[in-house]
Amino acid sequence: MFLAWREIKHSKLRYALISLIMIMIIWLVLFVTGLANGLASDNASAIKESPATYYVLEKDSDNRIARSTITEEQWQDMQTVYGKKAVPFSTRMSTISLEKGTEKTDIAYFLLEPDSFQKPTLSSGKFAKENTNEIVVDQKLARNGYKLGDIIEDTTTNSQFKISGFTKNQTYSHSGVVFLSPTQWKEINPVSSKNNTTYNTVALSISENEAEKFNQKELTIAPKNEIVQNIPGYSEEQGSLTMMIVFLYIIAAFVLTVFFYVITLQKMDQFGMLKALGAKTSYLAKSLLTQIGLLSILSLIIGNGLTYGVAAILPESMPFKLSPLTAVLSSLLFLAVTLIGSVLSLYKVAKVDAIEAIGGNN
């Protein structure tokens, strides 16, 4: 510790530049991680935050909600088996505008059975009264200028609804969710309601053991995380960002390994001299690791602060989500990558010849 700290103090500019590079790499890794989490939440938070654990879908639907159709008869069968643990669910993408406005907003309609376990938590306002045109919408619409009491109009059917409440973290396919009662749902689907009532899926709040006993002809059951993975574009989007994060860690490992190795080469004479004076290899290795650890921890603290500082001034429309737990885990992984990158430097220190370093061979 003593030797490591004295060297950092002696070569302030050199170690300040290395710390700056480490801070920028950490900031980039954390920012891309936050962006990946934000996009994941923006694409699927309405499903992720749902209390439902499993979804029943039509066979051959590839576990995609939009491709599945459940008949009224099939829903009644499941209701008989699961009771209040089962709720019919449908979704549809659409476009709305304010009653007298011209600007359109993309939204996702969600069918919501009153008093079911699917009922979301309100952030403001109140739940809609029965047999009215009141609706609850996600707060993302508030960022687009919608307010409590506003009348919105479905651009396809011209159906009008009044906003009575807002929810948080209820987005689907990067669009805010608009929750409709069964009566309101029929209003925006007049053609299908004239024939037979159908649903996309049935949401279940059941255990894994109950799910294993599921046995319905022409239907299949899928866990919630599989439904999320099959939301259009979700896997592709997250796969690309995860690949970027992995490459950033690999690049960080290479860059830091080269930096520490070059610095170690520049200090070979000093290490040899210290060995000639009786310093053990373990002492020098411990000093090198302490130095790298101090620089990494200092850079991590500043890098985390910089990330959260930038996140605080980002526009609300930008999907960014970095929980403290994710930041801590990412920081620990970065520290591990840095220490692994120091192995080559440690090997060089262990192989330094004290006699050669002080010119004994000449």
Side-chain angles (χ1 to χ4, degrees):
M1 177 77 178
F2 173 75
L3 182 63
W5 185 242
R6 275 187 67 85
E7 191 176 356
I8 291 173
K9 286 175 67 178
H10 182 263
S11 306
K12 294 186 184 71
L13 181 60
R14 175 196 292 175
Y15 288 105
L17 289 173
I18 294 174
S19 297
L20 181 63
I21 292 169
M22 293 174 75
I23 289 167
M24 296 311 291
I25 294 173
I26 292 162
W27 177 72
L28 189 58
V29 168
L30 291 177
F31 192 81
V32 175
T33 302
L35 193 61
N37 290 338
L39 285 169
S41 176
D42 200 49
N43 203 352
S45 64
I47 301 296
K48 286 182 173 180
E49 299 288 330
S50 167
T53 51
Y54 287 86
Y55 288 83
V56 177
L57 303 108
E58 182 184 13
K59 279 185 179 175
D60 304 324
S61 64
D62 297 327
N63 290 339
R64 292 196 173 197
I65 291 177
R67 294 181 184 177
S68 171
T69 302
I70 304 288
T71 64
E72 179 69 21
E73 187 180 1
Q74 290 170 325
W75 150 238
Q76 293 297 338
D77 290 342
M78 278 180 276
Q79 190 179 33
T80 303
V81 176
Y82 298 107
K84 292 185 177 179
K85 294 180 180 179
V87 179
F89 173 68
S90 290
T91 181
R92 206 192 86 183
M93 302 303 295
S94 189
T95 305
I96 60 168
S97 65
L98 285 170
E99 183 185 15
K100 296 179 180 177
T102 55
E103 188 174 343
K104 296 179 180 178
T105 305
D106 293 328
I107 54 97
Y109 284 124
F110 269 30
L111 172 63
L112 177 67
E113 286 286 337
D115 302 322
S116 71
F117 66 82
Q118 290 271 66
K119 205 171 182 178
T121 304
L122 288 182
S123 60
S124 63
K126 59 184 180 180
F127 280 107
K129 295 176 183 176
E130 289 186 24
N131 300 321
T132 66
N133 69 338
E134 293 180 339
I135 54 170
V136 170
V137 303
D138 181 68
Q139 209 162 27
K140 189 169 185 175
L141 270 72
R143 296 197 288 270
N144 291 332
Y146 293 86
K147 302 185 293 293
L148 287 174
D150 278 351
I151 304 293
I152 65 167
E153 184 174 291
D154 182 80
T155 56
T156 306
T157 61
N158 295 326
S159 300
Q160 293 189 340
F161 305 102
K162 180 181 179 182
I163 298 174
S164 68
F166 284 103
T167 63
K168 283 180 72 176
N169 299 324
Q170 295 292 329
T171 53
Y172 181 78
S173 199
H174 299 298
S175 301
V177 168
V178 173
F179 292 94
L180 299 180
S181 68
T183 305
Q184 293 166 337
W185 182 265
K186 288 178 181 177
E187 202 173 323
I188 63 160
N189 294 281
V191 177
S192 60
S193 59
K194 284 180 181 176
N195 303 316
N196 294 322
T197 302
T198 60
Y199 308 97
N200 285 127
T201 178
V202 173
L204 299 175
S205 178
I206 59 174
S207 65
E208 188 175 349
N209 288 336
E210 289 176 291
E212 288 175 354
K213 296 174 185 173
F214 179 82
N215 183 23
Q216 293 276 343
K217 288 181 179 178
E218 301 177 351
L219 299 176
T220 185
I221 189 168
K224 180 162 66 176
N225 61 340
E226 201 165 320
I227 296 297
V228 170
Q229 292 296 326
N230 284 296
I231 292 175
Y234 183 91
S235 298
E236 294 81 358
E237 186 178 84
Q238 289 302 302
S240 302
L241 289 167
T242 302
M243 185 73 76
M244 284 177 63
I245 294 169
V246 170
F247 273 111
L248 280 174
Y249 277 111
I250 294 172
I251 292 168
F254 272 108
V255 170
L256 296 177
T257 298
V258 170
F259 269 121
F260 290 127
Y261 184 68
V262 170
I263 290 175
T264 303
L265 287 180
Q266 291 174 341
K267 298 187 296 183
M268 290 304 286
D269 291 347
Q270 297 171 32
F271 286 130
M273 188 68 73
L274 288 169
K275 275 195 172 182
L277 292 173
K280 293 181 179 177
T281 301
S282 59
Y283 175 79
L284 297 177
K286 189 178 175 183
S287 173
L288 184 63
L289 286 174
T290 303
Q291 198 173 66
I292 294 171
L294 282 173
L295 291 174
S296 301
I297 292 170
L298 181 65
S299 303
L300 283 168
I301 292 171
I302 298 174
N304 273 274
L306 182 63
T307 305
Y308 279 106
V310 171
I313 59 174
L314 287 175
E316 286 189 51
S317 58
M318 188 165 182
F320 184 88
K321 191 174 184 179
L322 185 67
S323 67
L325 178 62
T326 304
V328 169
L329 291 176
S330 299
S331 299
L332 290 175
L333 182 58
F334 187 86
L335 185 61
V337 166
T338 308
L339 293 176
I340 291 171
S342 68
V343 170
L344 193 60
S345 301
L346 290 174
Y347 174 77
K348 199 67 183 174
V349 170
K351 289 295 180 183
V352 67
D353 188 336
I355 296 176
E356 185 180 341
I358 61 177
N361 291 337
N362 299 321

mmCIF file of all heavy atoms in Angstrom, residues 224-261:
data_model
loop_
_atom_site.group_PDB
_atom_site.id
_atom_site.type_symbol
_atom_site.label_atom_id
_atom_site.label_comp_id
_atom_site.label_asym_id
_atom_site.label_seq_id
_atom_site.Cartn_x
_atom_site.Cartn_y
_atom_site.Cartn_z
ATOM 1 N N LYS A 224 -44.102 -16.306 -18.087
ATOM 2 C CA LYS A 224 -44.091 -14.873 -18.441
ATOM 3 C C LYS A 224 -42.810 -14.457 -19.161
ATOM 4 O O LYS A 224 -42.866 -13.694 -20.130
ATOM 5 C CB LYS A 224 -44.272 -14.044 -17.159
ATOM 6 C CG LYS A 224 -44.286 -12.557 -17.409
ATOM 7 C CD LYS A 224 -44.879 -11.790 -16.252
ATOM 8 C CE LYS A 224 -44.060 -11.863 -15.002
ATOM 9 N NZ LYS A 224 -44.608 -11.034 -13.914
ATOM 10 N N ASN A 225 -41.650 -14.966 -18.696
ATOM 11 C CA ASN A 225 -40.398 -14.527 -19.328
ATOM 12 C C ASN A 225 -40.314 -14.960 -20.792
ATOM 13 O O ASN A 225 -39.722 -14.276 -21.630
ATOM 14 C CB ASN A 225 -39.181 -15.034 -18.548
ATOM 15 C CG ASN A 225 -39.117 -16.530 -18.481
ATOM 16 O OD1 ASN A 225 -40.119 -17.199 -18.672
ATOM 17 N ND2 ASN A 225 -37.948 -17.070 -18.223
ATOM 18 N N GLU A 226 -40.963 -16.082 -21.127
ATOM 19 C CA GLU A 226 -40.972 -16.527 -22.526
ATOM 20 C C GLU A 226 -41.872 -15.628 -23.383
ATOM 21 O O GLU A 226 -41.571 -15.351 -24.543
ATOM 22 C CB GLU A 226 -41.459 -17.973 -22.596
ATOM 23 C CG GLU A 226 -41.041 -18.669 -23.880
ATOM 24 C CD GLU A 226 -41.205 -20.170 -23.797
ATOM 25 O OE1 GLU A 226 -40.890 -20.749 -22.733
ATOM 26 O OE2 GLU A 226 -41.656 -20.740 -24.781
ATOM 27 N N ILE A 227 -42.960 -15.165 -22.780
ATOM 28 C CA ILE A 227 -43.850 -14.230 -23.480
ATOM 29 C C ILE A 227 -43.094 -12.925 -23.770
ATOM 30 O O ILE A 227 -43.186 -12.360 -24.863
ATOM 31 C CB ILE A 227 -45.106 -13.939 -22.617
ATOM 32 C CG1 ILE A 227 -45.924 -15.232 -22.420
ATOM 33 C CG2 ILE A 227 -45.958 -12.860 -23.264
ATOM 34 C CD1 ILE A 227 -46.471 -15.812 -23.688
ATOM 35 N N VAL A 228 -42.331 -12.471 -22.757
ATOM 36 C CA VAL A 228 -41.554 -11.234 -22.929
ATOM 37 C C VAL A 228 -40.540 -11.394 -24.059
ATOM 38 O O VAL A 228 -40.387 -10.515 -24.913
ATOM 39 C CB VAL A 228 -40.843 -10.876 -21.607
ATOM 40 C CG1 VAL A 228 -39.837 -9.748 -21.826
ATOM 41 C CG2 VAL A 228 -41.858 -10.467 -20.553
ATOM 42 N N GLN A 229 -39.836 -12.532 -24.060
ATOM 43 C CA GLN A 229 -38.813 -12.766 -25.089
ATOM 44 C C GLN A 229 -39.409 -12.794 -26.499
ATOM 45 O O GLN A 229 -38.702 -12.522 -27.472
ATOM 46 C CB GLN A 229 -38.090 -14.099 -24.825
ATOM 47 C CG GLN A 229 -37.224 -14.109 -23.580
ATOM 48 C CD GLN A 229 -36.058 -13.140 -23.651
ATOM 49 O OE1 GLN A 229 -35.495 -12.914 -24.717
ATOM 50 N NE2 GLN A 229 -35.711 -12.537 -22.520
ATOM 51 N N ASN A 230 -40.697 -13.134 -26.598
ATOM 52 C CA ASN A 230 -41.333 -13.256 -27.915
ATOM 53 C C ASN A 230 -42.117 -12.015 -28.335
ATOM 54 O O ASN A 230 -42.829 -12.047 -29.345
ATOM 55 C CB ASN A 230 -42.252 -14.477 -27.932
ATOM 56 C CG ASN A 230 -41.467 -15.763 -28.056
ATOM 57 O OD1 ASN A 230 -40.800 -16.009 -29.053
ATOM 58 N ND2 ASN A 230 -41.497 -16.582 -27.019
ATOM 59 N N ILE A 231 -41.999 -10.942 -27.549
ATOM 60 C CA ILE A 231 -42.576 -9.667 -28.006
ATOM 61 C C ILE A 231 -41.787 -9.240 -29.244
ATOM 62 O O ILE A 231 -40.553 -9.276 -29.239
ATOM 63 C CB ILE A 231 -42.484 -8.602 -26.895
ATOM 64 C CG1 ILE A 231 -43.412 -8.971 -25.742
ATOM 65 C CG2 ILE A 231 -42.831 -7.217 -27.434
ATOM 66 C CD1 ILE A 231 -43.313 -8.049 -24.552
ATOM 67 N N PRO A 232 -42.464 -8.860 -30.335
ATOM 68 C CA PRO A 232 -41.747 -8.514 -31.572
ATOM 69 C C PRO A 232 -40.612 -7.509 -31.358
ATOM 70 O O PRO A 232 -40.830 -6.431 -30.817
ATOM 71 C CB PRO A 232 -42.849 -7.920 -32.448
ATOM 72 C CG PRO A 232 -44.098 -8.581 -31.963
ATOM 73 C CD PRO A 232 -43.917 -8.753 -30.479
ATOM 74 N N GLY A 233 -39.418 -7.906 -31.753
ATOM 75 C CA GLY A 233 -38.254 -7.013 -31.674
ATOM 76 C C GLY A 233 -37.512 -7.041 -30.356
ATOM 77 O O GLY A 233 -36.404 -6.517 -30.256
ATOM 78 N N TYR A 234 -38.103 -7.653 -29.304
ATOM 79 C CA TYR A 234 -37.483 -7.610 -27.970
ATOM 80 C C TYR A 234 -36.136 -8.346 -27.960
ATOM 81 O O TYR A 234 -35.111 -7.787 -27.550
ATOM 82 C CB TYR A 234 -38.434 -8.219 -26.939
ATOM 83 C CG TYR A 234 -37.901 -8.160 -25.521
ATOM 84 C CD1 TYR A 234 -38.183 -7.068 -24.705
ATOM 85 C CD2 TYR A 234 -37.115 -9.176 -25.001
ATOM 86 C CE1 TYR A 234 -37.691 -6.991 -23.415
ATOM 87 C CE2 TYR A 234 -36.616 -9.106 -23.712
ATOM 88 C CZ TYR A 234 -36.911 -8.022 -22.929
ATOM 89 O OH TYR A 234 -36.408 -7.954 -21.637
ATOM 90 N N SER A 235 -36.128 -9.597 -28.413
ATOM 91 C CA SER A 235 -34.899 -10.405 -28.359
ATOM 92 C C SER A 235 -33.809 -9.795 -29.235
ATOM 93 O O SER A 235 -32.637 -9.739 -28.839
ATOM 94 C CB SER A 235 -35.188 -11.838 -28.818
ATOM 95 O OG SER A 235 -36.111 -12.436 -27.959
ATOM 96 N N GLU A 236 -34.186 -9.337 -30.436
ATOM 97 C CA GLU A 236 -33.210 -8.754 -31.360
ATOM 98 C C GLU A 236 -32.597 -7.494 -30.761
ATOM 99 O O GLU A 236 -31.380 -7.293 -30.819
ATOM 100 C CB GLU A 236 -33.879 -8.430 -32.698
ATOM 101 C CG GLU A 236 -34.368 -9.640 -33.485
ATOM 102 C CD GLU A 236 -35.712 -10.169 -33.005
ATOM 103 O OE1 GLU A 236 -36.255 -9.607 -32.023
ATOM 104 O OE2 GLU A 236 -36.214 -11.139 -33.597
ATOM 105 N N GLU A 237 -33.434 -6.656 -30.169
ATOM 106 C CA GLU A 237 -32.965 -5.399 -29.582
ATOM 107 C C GLU A 237 -32.023 -5.665 -28.412
ATOM 108 O O GLU A 237 -30.920 -5.103 -28.336
ATOM 109 C CB GLU A 237 -34.187 -4.612 -29.109
ATOM 110 C CG GLU A 237 -33.925 -3.227 -28.600
ATOM 111 C CD GLU A 237 -35.247 -2.572 -28.227
ATOM 112 O OE1 GLU A 237 -35.738 -2.786 -27.095
ATOM 113 O OE2 GLU A 237 -35.814 -1.876 -29.077
ATOM 114 N N GLN A 238 -32.445 -6.551 -27.502
ATOM 115 C CA GLN A 238 -31.626 -6.845 -26.328
ATOM 116 C C GLN A 238 -30.359 -7.604 -26.714
ATOM 117 O O GLN A 238 -29.296 -7.413 -26.109
ATOM 118 C CB GLN A 238 -32.451 -7.656 -25.318
ATOM 119 C CG GLN A 238 -33.544 -6.869 -24.638
ATOM 120 C CD GLN A 238 -33.002 -5.651 -23.899
ATOM 121 O OE1 GLN A 238 -32.168 -5.785 -23.020
ATOM 122 N NE2 GLN A 238 -33.455 -4.461 -24.271
ATOM 123 N N GLY A 239 -30.453 -8.473 -27.734
ATOM 124 C CA GLY A 239 -29.279 -9.228 -28.194
ATOM 125 C C GLY A 239 -28.200 -8.292 -28.709
ATOM 126 O O GLY A 239 -27.009 -8.458 -28.390
ATOM 127 N N SER A 240 -28.596 -7.277 -29.476
ATOM 128 C CA SER A 240 -27.628 -6.318 -30.029
ATOM 129 C C SER A 240 -26.950 -5.528 -28.916
ATOM 130 O O SER A 240 -25.724 -5.352 -28.910
ATOM 131 C CB SER A 240 -28.335 -5.352 -30.988
ATOM 132 O OG SER A 240 -28.966 -6.062 -32.022
ATOM 133 N N LEU A 241 -27.751 -5.050 -27.953
ATOM 134 C CA LEU A 241 -27.176 -4.245 -26.872
ATOM 135 C C LEU A 241 -26.297 -5.093 -25.943
ATOM 136 O O LEU A 241 -25.253 -4.632 -25.471
ATOM 137 C CB LEU A 241 -28.307 -3.579 -26.073
ATOM 138 C CG LEU A 241 -29.036 -2.462 -26.832
ATOM 139 C CD1 LEU A 241 -30.318 -2.071 -26.135
ATOM 140 C CD2 LEU A 241 -28.131 -1.243 -26.969
ATOM 141 N N THR A 242 -26.723 -6.336 -25.693
ATOM 142 C CA THR A 242 -25.904 -7.226 -24.856
ATOM 143 C C THR A 242 -24.563 -7.498 -25.530
ATOM 144 O O THR A 242 -23.515 -7.526 -24.862
ATOM 145 C CB THR A 242 -26.647 -8.552 -24.608
ATOM 146 O OG1 THR A 242 -27.900 -8.271 -23.985
ATOM 147 C CG2 THR A 242 -25.845 -9.464 -23.690
ATOM 148 N N MET A 243 -24.601 -7.679 -26.850
ATOM 149 C CA MET A 243 -23.356 -7.896 -27.601
ATOM 150 C C MET A 243 -22.428 -6.690 -27.453
ATOM 151 O O MET A 243 -21.213 -6.825 -27.272
ATOM 152 C CB MET A 243 -23.689 -8.138 -29.076
ATOM 153 C CG MET A 243 -22.490 -8.485 -29.929
ATOM 154 S SD MET A 243 -21.897 -10.142 -29.620
ATOM 155 C CE MET A 243 -23.140 -11.093 -30.488
ATOM 156 N N MET A 244 -22.996 -5.484 -27.521
ATOM 157 C CA MET A 244 -22.200 -4.265 -27.354
ATOM 158 C C MET A 244 -21.550 -4.230 -25.975
ATOM 159 O O MET A 244 -20.359 -3.893 -25.836
ATOM 160 C CB MET A 244 -23.092 -3.029 -27.537
ATOM 161 C CG MET A 244 -23.447 -2.711 -28.971
ATOM 162 S SD MET A 244 -24.577 -1.305 -29.071
ATOM 163 C CE MET A 244 -23.564 -0.011 -28.375
ATOM 164 N N ILE A 245 -22.319 -4.581 -24.942
ATOM 165 C CA ILE A 245 -21.790 -4.545 -23.566
ATOM 166 C C ILE A 245 -20.661 -5.552 -23.409
ATOM 167 O O ILE A 245 -19.613 -5.257 -22.815
ATOM 168 C CB ILE A 245 -22.926 -4.815 -22.559
ATOM 169 C CG1 ILE A 245 -23.953 -3.678 -22.599
ATOM 170 C CG2 ILE A 245 -22.372 -4.973 -21.157
ATOM 171 C CD1 ILE A 245 -25.232 -3.965 -21.845
ATOM 172 N N VAL A 246 -20.853 -6.762 -23.948
ATOM 173 C CA VAL A 246 -19.819 -7.798 -23.859
ATOM 174 C C VAL A 246 -18.535 -7.326 -24.541
ATOM 175 O O VAL A 246 -17.431 -7.465 -24.001
ATOM 176 C CB VAL A 246 -20.319 -9.115 -24.498
ATOM 177 C CG1 VAL A 246 -19.171 -10.115 -24.631
ATOM 178 C CG2 VAL A 246 -21.444 -9.713 -23.661
ATOM 179 N N PHE A 247 -18.678 -6.737 -25.742
ATOM 180 C CA PHE A 247 -17.494 -6.249 -26.458
ATOM 181 C C PHE A 247 -16.814 -5.114 -25.698
ATOM 182 O O PHE A 247 -15.590 -4.989 -25.726
ATOM 183 C CB PHE A 247 -17.870 -5.811 -27.874
ATOM 184 C CG PHE A 247 -17.843 -6.934 -28.864
ATOM 185 C CD1 PHE A 247 -18.998 -7.421 -29.427
ATOM 186 C CD2 PHE A 247 -16.638 -7.538 -29.212
ATOM 187 C CE1 PHE A 247 -18.973 -8.481 -30.326
ATOM 188 C CE2 PHE A 247 -16.600 -8.591 -30.106
ATOM 189 C CZ PHE A 247 -17.767 -9.069 -30.667
ATOM 190 N N LEU A 248 -17.613 -4.272 -25.017
ATOM 191 C CA LEU A 248 -17.016 -3.191 -24.232
ATOM 192 C C LEU A 248 -16.151 -3.755 -23.104
ATOM 193 O O LEU A 248 -15.067 -3.231 -22.814
ATOM 194 C CB LEU A 248 -18.120 -2.297 -23.657
ATOM 195 C CG LEU A 248 -18.717 -1.270 -24.622
ATOM 196 C CD1 LEU A 248 -19.902 -0.558 -23.978
ATOM 197 C CD2 LEU A 248 -17.659 -0.239 -25.010
ATOM 198 N N TYR A 249 -16.633 -4.818 -22.450
ATOM 199 C CA TYR A 249 -15.836 -5.455 -21.385
ATOM 200 C C TYR A 249 -14.555 -6.061 -21.970
ATOM 201 O O TYR A 249 -13.480 -5.961 -21.371
ATOM 202 C CB TYR A 249 -16.653 -6.537 -20.681
ATOM 203 C CG TYR A 249 -17.558 -5.992 -19.595
ATOM 204 C CD1 TYR A 249 -18.934 -6.009 -19.744
ATOM 205 C CD2 TYR A 249 -17.028 -5.462 -18.427
ATOM 206 C CE1 TYR A 249 -19.772 -5.509 -18.759
ATOM 207 C CE2 TYR A 249 -17.844 -4.957 -17.432
ATOM 208 C CZ TYR A 249 -19.221 -4.979 -17.602
ATOM 209 O OH TYR A 249 -20.030 -4.472 -16.615
ATOM 210 N N ILE A 250 -14.667 -6.703 -23.135
ATOM 211 C CA ILE A 250 -13.479 -7.312 -23.757
ATOM 212 C C ILE A 250 -12.471 -6.232 -24.154
ATOM 213 O O ILE A 250 -11.267 -6.351 -23.891
ATOM 214 C CB ILE A 250 -13.900 -8.142 -24.999
ATOM 215 C CG1 ILE A 250 -14.740 -9.340 -24.559
ATOM 216 C CG2 ILE A 250 -12.658 -8.605 -25.771
ATOM 217 C CD1 ILE A 250 -15.359 -10.118 -25.710
ATOM 218 N N ILE A 251 -12.983 -5.146 -24.756
ATOM 219 C CA ILE A 251 -12.098 -4.040 -25.142
ATOM 220 C C ILE A 251 -11.441 -3.428 -23.910
ATOM 221 O O ILE A 251 -10.235 -3.128 -23.910
ATOM 222 C CB ILE A 251 -12.898 -2.968 -25.929
ATOM 223 C CG1 ILE A 251 -13.321 -3.536 -27.288
ATOM 224 C CG2 ILE A 251 -12.077 -1.699 -26.116
ATOM 225 C CD1 ILE A 251 -14.336 -2.684 -28.015
ATOM 226 N N ALA A 252 -12.236 -3.262 -22.831
ATOM 227 C CA ALA A 252 -11.689 -2.709 -21.591
ATOM 228 C C ALA A 252 -10.562 -3.587 -21.063
ATOM 229 O O ALA A 252 -9.513 -3.085 -20.624
ATOM 230 C CB ALA A 252 -12.805 -2.585 -20.552
ATOM 231 N N ALA A 253 -10.772 -4.912 -21.105
ATOM 232 C CA ALA A 253 -9.741 -5.839 -20.612
ATOM 233 C C ALA A 253 -8.454 -5.693 -21.425
ATOM 234 O O ALA A 253 -7.356 -5.622 -20.853
ATOM 235 C CB ALA A 253 -10.264 -7.269 -20.695
ATOM 236 N N PHE A 254 -8.581 -5.619 -22.756
ATOM 237 C CA PHE A 254 -7.389 -5.497 -23.617
ATOM 238 C C PHE A 254 -6.671 -4.161 -23.371
ATOM 239 O O PHE A 254 -5.448 -4.114 -23.219
ATOM 240 C CB PHE A 254 -7.790 -5.606 -25.092
ATOM 241 C CG PHE A 254 -7.807 -7.019 -25.584
ATOM 242 C CD1 PHE A 254 -9.002 -7.663 -25.839
ATOM 243 C CD2 PHE A 254 -6.621 -7.722 -25.792
ATOM 244 C CE1 PHE A 254 -9.028 -8.980 -26.278
ATOM 245 C CE2 PHE A 254 -6.635 -9.030 -26.233
ATOM 246 C CZ PHE A 254 -7.842 -9.672 -26.479
ATOM 247 N N VAL A 255 -7.440 -3.063 -23.366
ATOM 248 C CA VAL A 255 -6.844 -1.728 -23.208
ATOM 249 C C VAL A 255 -6.109 -1.610 -21.878
ATOM 250 O O VAL A 255 -4.953 -1.168 -21.816
ATOM 251 C CB VAL A 255 -7.937 -0.640 -23.329
ATOM 252 C CG1 VAL A 255 -7.393 0.725 -22.923
ATOM 253 C CG2 VAL A 255 -8.468 -0.581 -24.752
ATOM 254 N N LEU A 256 -6.770 -2.034 -20.783
ATOM 255 C CA LEU A 256 -6.155 -1.901 -19.462
ATOM 256 C C LEU A 256 -4.962 -2.841 -19.302
ATOM 257 O O LEU A 256 -3.973 -2.481 -18.657
ATOM 258 C CB LEU A 256 -7.209 -2.167 -18.378
ATOM 259 C CG LEU A 256 -8.352 -1.144 -18.353
ATOM 260 C CD1 LEU A 256 -9.396 -1.513 -17.319
ATOM 261 C CD2 LEU A 256 -7.795 0.259 -18.067
ATOM 262 N N THR A 257 -5.054 -4.027 -19.906
ATOM 263 C CA THR A 257 -3.916 -4.957 -19.849
ATOM 264 C C THR A 257 -2.684 -4.326 -20.501
ATOM 265 O O THR A 257 -1.573 -4.364 -19.942
ATOM 266 C CB THR A 257 -4.266 -6.276 -20.575
ATOM 267 O OG1 THR A 257 -5.363 -6.883 -19.905
ATOM 268 C CG2 THR A 257 -3.078 -7.223 -20.568
ATOM 269 N N VAL A 258 -2.886 -3.729 -21.675
ATOM 270 C CA VAL A 258 -1.764 -3.099 -22.385
ATOM 271 C C VAL A 258 -1.208 -1.930 -21.586
ATOM 272 O O VAL A 258 0.016 -1.788 -21.435
ATOM 273 C CB VAL A 258 -2.230 -2.625 -23.787
ATOM 274 C CG1 VAL A 258 -1.150 -1.760 -24.437
ATOM 275 C CG2 VAL A 258 -2.551 -3.821 -24.665
ATOM 276 N N PHE A 259 -2.105 -1.093 -21.020
ATOM 277 C CA PHE A 259 -1.639 0.061 -20.235
ATOM 278 C C PHE A 259 -0.782 -0.385 -19.055
ATOM 279 O O PHE A 259 0.343 0.104 -18.851
ATOM 280 C CB PHE A 259 -2.844 0.860 -19.722
ATOM 281 C CG PHE A 259 -3.257 1.951 -20.657
ATOM 282 C CD1 PHE A 259 -4.528 1.977 -21.195
ATOM 283 C CD2 PHE A 259 -2.372 2.968 -21.012
ATOM 284 C CE1 PHE A 259 -4.913 2.984 -22.071
ATOM 285 C CE2 PHE A 259 -2.752 3.974 -21.885
ATOM 286 C CZ PHE A 259 -4.024 3.980 -22.420
ATOM 287 N N PHE A 260 -1.308 -1.301 -18.269
ATOM 288 C CA PHE A 260 -0.573 -1.727 -17.065
ATOM 289 C C PHE A 260 0.712 -2.473 -17.429
ATOM 290 O O PHE A 260 1.716 -2.393 -16.721
ATOM 291 C CB PHE A 260 -1.477 -2.599 -16.181
ATOM 292 C CG PHE A 260 -2.581 -1.820 -15.529
ATOM 293 C CD1 PHE A 260 -3.902 -2.213 -15.632
ATOM 294 C CD2 PHE A 260 -2.300 -0.668 -14.809
ATOM 295 C CE1 PHE A 260 -4.915 -1.487 -15.037
ATOM 296 C CE2 PHE A 260 -3.304 0.074 -14.209
ATOM 297 C CZ PHE A 260 -4.621 -0.337 -14.325
ATOM 298 N N TYR A 261 0.679 -3.202 -18.542
ATOM 299 C CA TYR A 261 1.875 -3.937 -18.969
ATOM 300 C C TYR A 261 2.981 -2.957 -19.390
ATOM 301 O O TYR A 261 4.148 -3.124 -19.016
ATOM 302 C CB TYR A 261 1.527 -4.864 -20.139
ATOM 303 C CG TYR A 261 2.680 -5.725 -20.591
ATOM 304 C CD1 TYR A 261 3.178 -6.744 -19.770
ATOM 305 C CD2 TYR A 261 3.290 -5.516 -21.823
ATOM 306 C CE1 TYR A 261 4.239 -7.537 -20.180
ATOM 307 C CE2 TYR A 261 4.353 -6.308 -22.245
ATOM 308 C CZ TYR A 261 4.818 -7.315 -21.422
ATOM 309 O OH TYR A 261 5.882 -8.085 -21.824
#
